[in-house]
Amino acid sequence: MNQTDTHNRLLDAAEHLFAEHGIAATSLRAIASEAPANLASIHYHFGSREALVEAVFARRLEPLNRERRRLLDREEAAADGPPPVEAIVNAFVAPAMRLAHDSGGGGEHFMCLMGRLYSEPGDLAYKITEQFEEVFLRFTAALSRSLPHLSRADLLWRFFFMVGSMSMPLMGRHVIPRRTDGLCDPSDVENNIKRLVAFLAAGLRAAAHNGGAP
Amino acid sequence: MNQTDTHNRLLDAAEHLFAEHGIAATSLRAIASEAPANLASIHYHFGSREALVEAVFARRLEPLNRERRRLLDREEAAADGPPPVEAIVNAFVAPAMRLAHDSGGGGEHFMCLMGRLYSEPGDLAYKITEQFEEVFLRFTAALSRSLPHLSRADLLWRFFFMVGSMSMPLMGRHVIPRRTDGLCDPSDVENNIKRLVAFLAAGLRAAAHNGGAP
DNA sequence: GATTAATTTAAACGGTCGTTTAAATCATAC
DNA sequence: GTATGATTTAAACGACCGTTTAAATTAATC
């Protein structure tokens, strides 16, 4: 085992347990036990519990958001003028949905953890959402060009609605199949992406409730 | 102070702190301190920490879901045939959004806590969602009648997308205003209900991605 | 193979946790 | 006012927490 072995095993174990039980409810001892590694090695590699939490997020977020930007780049280059709403939504949604079930890349637990993010104590959520700043700006700008009939507030609200919709197949991996007798299958990734895109594009395109003063 | 005083103060304090810091991260000592009440009185009134958590949810969920059913009853009685999608969505969304900012009724913190529900450890989420069984059945049935072009799986998925969208203004009370320079205001309840209804009705009505075999 | 640095380990620290106990206080009816 | 039951209180219990320390082990360099 070289240096990075324990380091990565700790990240994997933390990611898994954070997603399963929540961040606050997961102890460093449980992480060390699952890794497996010694309790003190966590502080050796990361310095503190909080730094470990941030490392778990940082490992996945950068590639995820890079892929989102890459897809949006491609759509904006291909389109003559603003890309269709479906293409923008797909560029935002598809990378997250695929990462959520990419057992090879190891992100299978991460997106479930992402869904939990807003529920975690303290300033963690705000701190992590800072890593979305660039993606947030790029996608809201792209949507704004494709949906000029929306006021800025309406556009931003609908962006958040999109994030909320997407979080359901990511977070509800256990509850949704149980509540639907297996009819809704969160692991049916490509079909769920299409479902989300169809639903969200129509919602985003809807007339604003007040007539949509720009 | 009669008997129910301490009982309710404990529920209020627990609700507030659970919403603020998460359930797992809130200690009984913090609840007792905020109430204010003695630490042991929690066990006297509720028996255990877990029983207190369930009591916090039970106090709000029954009236909330009763109001949802009442609004749906009204729409179904008023309409000739299936009610419009907007009316069904409104009956589902509006009671939750109003409860979330009903400082008089005291539910101001509860809906934020509801948003956290799926993120909490253990079987709590599934246990609580059992209280939604009737509402879930009634609203999916009503939507199904108004949206006959959707397969059952598509309809159920879109119902979950609706829940996810709604959770954003409920949960993001701190993050969303900060991220939008105050342009998106979660306390602007009635306008946000209209925003949600417009967005969701359009998404629900969209053609299914596969052409929508029924 | 000795020296040095990197990593892992066992043990302990003080602090907080949920829970329990038993005594003290309060309200109520006689 | 006294007896009775309901409620509140202070104190303690063992368990687990994140963190630190210092020694033991491993890997790398000469």
Side-chain angles (χ1 to χ4, degrees):
Chain A
M1 298 189 189
N2 60 26
Q3 173 194 351
T4 62
D5 246 28
T6 303
H7 188 93
N8 284 334
R9 282 205 322 279
L10 286 171
L11 284 177
D12 290 340
E15 183 176 79
H16 177 208
L17 292 173
F18 286 165
E20 190 106 345
H21 306 297
I23 297 176
T26 301
S27 71
L28 297 188
R29 284 170 171 83
I31 295 168
S33 170
E34 163 143 339
N38 187 277
L39 170 62
S41 69
I42 296 177
H43 286 82
Y44 176 78
H45 283 280
F46 300 97
S48 72
R49 184 184 202 278
E50 192 182 335
L52 169 66
V53 173
E54 289 177 31
V56 167
F57 280 95
R59 180 171 64 151
R60 305 281 183 207
L61 281 186
E62 205 280 328
L64 168 65
N65 284 331
R66 177 153 29 89
E67 175 69 2
R68 281 170 162 160
R69 291 194 298 267
R70 190 183 70 83
L71 292 186
L72 183 57
D73 283 338
R74 206 180 56 184
E75 295 297 336
E76 289 183 331
D80 184 28
V85 180
E86 281 81 359
I88 302 173
V89 171
N90 183 75
F92 186 80
V93 162
M97 296 283 290
R98 294 193 179 115
L99 175 58
H101 291 85
D102 170 23
S103 55
E108 44 190 339
H109 302 113
F110 178 69
M111 291 312 301
C112 183
L113 173 56
M114 270 306 298
R116 290 174 173 278
L117 177 60
Y118 277 78
S119 316
E120 293 298 334
D123 280 336
L124 180 64
Y126 188 77
K127 220 164 165 182
I128 301 293
T129 55
E130 281 174 0
Q131 300 203 238
F132 288 100
E133 182 81 18
E134 193 186 340
V135 161
F136 178 76
L137 292 175
R138 284 220 43 199
F139 276 82
T140 51
L143 286 172
S144 176
R145 281 189 291 272
S146 294
L147 299 165
H149 67 294
L150 293 179
S151 70
R152 177 117 188 106
D154 280 327
L155 181 92
L156 292 175
W157 269 120
R158 290 183 183 192
F159 180 82
F160 288 119
F161 297 160
M162 175 172 72
V163 174
S165 296
M166 189 186 63
S167 75
M168 293 304 290
L170 298 179
M171 294 175 55
R173 295 217 298 176
H174 303 305
V175 174
I176 288 179
R178 269 213 278 183
R179 286 258 161 260
T180 60
D181 293 322
L183 203 62
C184 292
D185 175 14
S187 71
D188 186 14
V189 175
E190 295 304 322
N191 275 321
N192 291 339
I193 292 173
K194 289 176 191 157
R195 286 191 172 98
L196 267 170
V197 170
F199 176 85
L200 293 171
L204 287 164
R205 266 202 262 261
H209 66 286
N210 56 2
Chain B
M1 297 188 189
N2 60 27
Q3 173 196 350
T4 61
D5 246 28
T6 303
H7 189 93
N8 284 334
R9 283 205 321 279
L10 286 170
L11 284 177
D12 290 340
E15 184 176 78
H16 177 208
L17 292 173
F18 286 164
E20 190 108 343
H21 306 297
I23 297 177
T26 301
S27 70
L28 298 188
R29 283 171 172 82
I31 295 168
S33 170
E34 163 142 338
N38 187 277
L39 170 62
S41 69
I42 296 177
H43 286 82
Y44 176 78
H45 283 281
F46 300 97
S48 72
R49 182 184 203 277
E50 192 182 334
L52 168 66
V53 173
E54 289 176 30
V56 167
F57 279 95
R59 179 172 65 153
R60 303 283 182 207
L61 281 187
E62 206 278 330
L64 168 64
N65 284 331
R66 177 152 30 90
E67 175 69 2
R68 280 171 162 159
R69 291 193 299 267
R70 190 183 70 82
L71 291 186
L72 183 58
D73 284 338
R74 206 180 58 183
E75 294 298 337
E76 288 184 331
D80 184 26
V85 180
E86 281 81 0
I88 302 173
V89 171
N90 184 75
F92 185 81
V93 162
M97 297 283 290
R98 294 196 178 111
L99 176 56
H101 292 84
D102 169 24
S103 54
E108 44 189 339
H109 302 112
F110 178 69
M111 291 311 302
C112 182
L113 173 56
M114 270 305 299
R116 289 174 174 279
L117 177 60
Y118 276 78
S119 317
E120 293 298 335
D123 280 335
L124 179 65
Y126 188 77
K127 219 164 164 182
I128 301 293
T129 56
E130 281 173 0
Q131 300 203 238
F132 288 99
E133 183 82 19
E134 193 186 339
V135 162
F136 178 76
L137 292 175
R138 284 220 42 198
F139 276 82
T140 52
L143 286 172
S144 176
R145 281 189 291 272
S146 293
L147 299 164
H149 67 293
L150 293 178
S151 70
R152 176 118 188 103
D154 280 328
L155 181 93
L156 292 175
W157 270 120
R158 290 182 183 193
F159 180 83
F160 289 118
F161 296 161
M162 174 172 73
V163 174
S165 296
M166 188 185 64
S167 75
M168 293 303 290
L170 298 178
M171 294 175 56
R173 294 217 298 177
H174 303 305
V175 174
I176 288 179
R178 270 213 279 181
R179 285 258 160 260
T180 61
D181 292 322
L183 204 62
C184 293
D185 175 14
S187 71
D188 185 13
V189 175
E190 295 304 322
N191 274 322
N192 291 339
I193 292 173
K194 289 176 192 158
R195 286 191 173 98
L196 266 170
V197 170
F199 176 85
L200 293 171
L204 287 164
R205 268 202 262 261
H209 66 285
N210 56 1

